[in-house]
DNA sequence: GATAATCCTTCCAGTTGCTGGAAGGTCAAC
DNA sequence: GTTGACCTTCCAGCAACTGGAAGGATTATC
C-alpha cells in the first residue's frame, strides 16, 4: 500500500513516516514507480511507533523497543534484559499517570470555586514519589 | 532556594527550568544578587511539569494543566471542562501503556528463541484499538 | 584576605523530532 | 489529454530543549 494508506492506518502523518525512514527507523519497499510500498507488518510497526512516541518514549527508545521483535539474530537473554528495563519504565509511567488522574479528579470534585492560595492538591499533582 | 536546589528537588535540569521561565511557564522571584529564588510551591509546579512532560503532554498542554490550579480567577466550570478532557486523555494513555506492557510481557515469556518470521505478538505491540 | 572552586547569570549556537512548502513526477477519472 | 489527488525530494522553520562561552557571586581553603 502507498504511504497515504499507511498513514491512515497507523495514525502517523506521511511526513513523519518519511522522517522515520530517513533516520533508519523503518525502511519501506519501493514500487516500480518509486513510491514507497508498505505491508501490514510495516503498518503494525508504524502504529507501534505512534503509540510509544505519544507515551513519552524517545525515538532511540522506540528503536530499541522495535528491535525486540524485529531482530531475529538477537539473543533471547538480551531481548529479555531490554524488555525488563522497559517494563519497569512503563509501570512507572502508568503509576504517574494514575496519580495525575487522581489529582485532577480530586481538583474537579473538591476544589472548584475554592480560592485557597495554597491548595494542598498541588502536592498530589506534583506527586510525592522520589525522583528517579 | 537557588536554581540548583530546585533542580535537584524537581528532577528538571537548570537549563530546562530557565527555558520554562523564558517561555512564561513558571517565573521565579529574584534574590538581591540576581539569582532566581524558588519556593516549595514552585518546586511542586516544576515537579509536576517534569512528570507531565515525560508522559507525553506538550508544553502547551502542561500550561493548561498548570492553569487549572494556578489561576484563581478562572471559572470553576471552565476548570472542570479542561480537566475532563485531560482526564479522558490520561485514561487513554494509561490503557495504551497497559497494552504495551502486556505485549512486552508476552514477548518475553512466550517468544524468546522462537524465530517465526511474523510473530503474531506484533499485533499486540502495535495495539488493536482505533486510531483517534 | 587572596585564591580557587562552585555556583549563578545571559546569550548564542546546536540537536531532536518533526512539519510546512516548493518544484516536479505519477496515476485515476472525466 | 487534462484536471486533481496522490507521490517524490529538498530545504527551511518550529518546538523543546541542551551545550558552551564569558563573566559575576558565593563559598571553601590556604
Amino acid at each position: 500500500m502507498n504511504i497515504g494508506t499507511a498513514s491512515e492506518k497507523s495514525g502517523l502523518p506521511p511526513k513523519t513516516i518519511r522522517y522515520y525512514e530517513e533516520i533508519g527507523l523503518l525502511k519501506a519497499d519501493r514500487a516500480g514507480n518509486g513510491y514507497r510500498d508498505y505491508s501490514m507488518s510495516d503498518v503494525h510497526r508504524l502504529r507501534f511507533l505512534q503509540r510509544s512516541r505519544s507515551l513519552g518514549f524517545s525515538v532511540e527508545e522506540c528503536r530499541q523497543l522495535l528491535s525486540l521483535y524485529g531482530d531475529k539474530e538477537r539473543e533471547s537473554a538480551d531481548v529479555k534484559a531490554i524488555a525488563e528495563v522497559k517494563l519497569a519504565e512503563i509501570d512507572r509511567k502508568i503509576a504517574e499517570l494514575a496519580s495525575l488522574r487522581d489529582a485532577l479528579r480530586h481538583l474537579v470534585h473538591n476544589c472548584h470555586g475554592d480560592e485557597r492560595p495554597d491548595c494542598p492538591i498541588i502536592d498530589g499533582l506534583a506527586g510525592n514519589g522520589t525522583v528517579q
Side-chain angles (χ1 to χ4, degrees), chain A residues 87-103 124-130:
Chain A
L87 277 173
E89 203 170 329
I90 289 169
D91 280 335
R92 192 177 46 73
K93 278 175 189 284
I94 288 176
E96 290 192 349
L97 276 171
S99 111
L100 204 61
R101 181 190 53 193
D102 295 347
L125 278 170
N128 300 310
T130 43

Side-chain angles (χ1 to χ4, degrees), chain A residues 34-87:
Chain A
Y35 287 15
R36 286 170 182 83
D37 185 25
Y38 295 90
S39 66
M40 273 317 287
S41 174
D42 290 331
V43 168
H44 288 311
R45 284 173 166 79
L46 287 171
R47 182 133 175 63
F48 167 73
L49 286 170
Q50 188 275 322
R51 304 188 119 207
S52 39
R53 285 293 297 131
S54 83
L55 294 167
F57 289 99
S58 75
V59 164
E60 281 320 303
E61 287 174 316
C62 290
R63 200 191 295 274
Q64 254 193 351
L65 285 167
L66 261 187
S67 81
L68 290 182
Y69 62 85
D71 189 348
K72 304 288 187 308
E73 283 76 40
R74 193 179 277 274
E75 287 295 316
S76 78
D78 196 0
V79 171
K80 206 159 181 166
I82 296 176
E84 235 120 66
V85 170
K86 291 301 165 196
L87 277 173

Side-chain angles (χ1 to χ4, degrees), chain A residues 4-5 21 27 40 50 64 67 95-96 105 108-109 111 131:
Chain A
T5 314
E21 179 169 328
K27 107 174 212 295
M40 273 317 287
Q50 188 275 322
Q64 254 193 351
S67 81
E96 290 192 349
R105 277 214 187 110
V108 167
H109 295 140
C111 276
V131 182

Side-chain angles (χ1 to χ4, degrees), chain A residues 105-116 121:
Chain A
R105 277 214 187 110
H106 193 99
L107 183 70
V108 167
H109 295 140
N110 301 103
C111 276
H112 51 98
D114 188 321
E115 298 197 0
R116 274 173 295 175
I121 284 168

